[in-house]
Amino acid sequence: MEKVQMLLLILFGVVVFVWRLVQKARETMAQESRTRPGNQGPPAPGTSFQELLKQMQAQNAARSADPTATVPAPAARKPRQAKPLAAPTPPVERPAPRRPATPRAPLQTTPEAPNAVQRRVADMLRNPADVRAAFVLSEILQRKF
């Protein structure tokens, strides 16, 4: 008996849940129909494509048959020179050969140490391989994500 009561309670809960979902869907559809009254799309044209095509052809024929109709003359243009189909490819720049690593002297702790650091940084920036390595290391060590 106790199991039957539990099953009825669960069944009642499912029915109430489904009923509330249906009510909410009806409410949403009614609200959308109130806010968007013209939801059917553009009306179909009264004429068919074939009729429109015949009208346009008749208008074009009337324009070409009428000698008084003024057609603007095209502006005088210079003849265009033919462009080659394949654009010339730019020469490939080869990277500079990598210098062998040279042992660096430890930094000095004298008042002239800032100048030594500046010289060392300037020396490192002259070599593209060192700049590339610094960029890769900065991306690895200071990740944005």
Side-chain angles (χ1 to χ4, degrees), residues 19-104:
W19 182 74
R20 288 185 48 98
L21 282 176
V22 169
Q23 292 298 322
K24 188 147 194 125
R26 286 182 185 166
E27 203 175 285
T28 304
M29 287 175 39
Q31 183 180 5
E32 285 182 2
S33 67
R34 283 190 303 258
T35 57
R36 300 180 197 167
N39 224 5
Q40 291 88 22
T47 57
S48 69
F49 175 74
Q50 296 298 328
E51 292 171 0
L52 290 174
L53 183 62
K54 288 177 184 177
Q55 287 177 0
M56 290 171 53
Q57 287 173 345
Q59 287 176 354
N60 289 340
R63 285 185 188 158
S64 63
D66 187 10
T68 60
T70 58
V71 177
R77 295 184 185 174
K78 293 181 181 180
R80 295 175 112 184
Q81 292 182 353
K83 292 182 180 178
L85 294 178
T89 57
V92 177
E93 292 184 25
R94 303 281 179 199
R98 188 171 182 171
R99 288 189 314 192
T102 56
R104 304 204 195 291

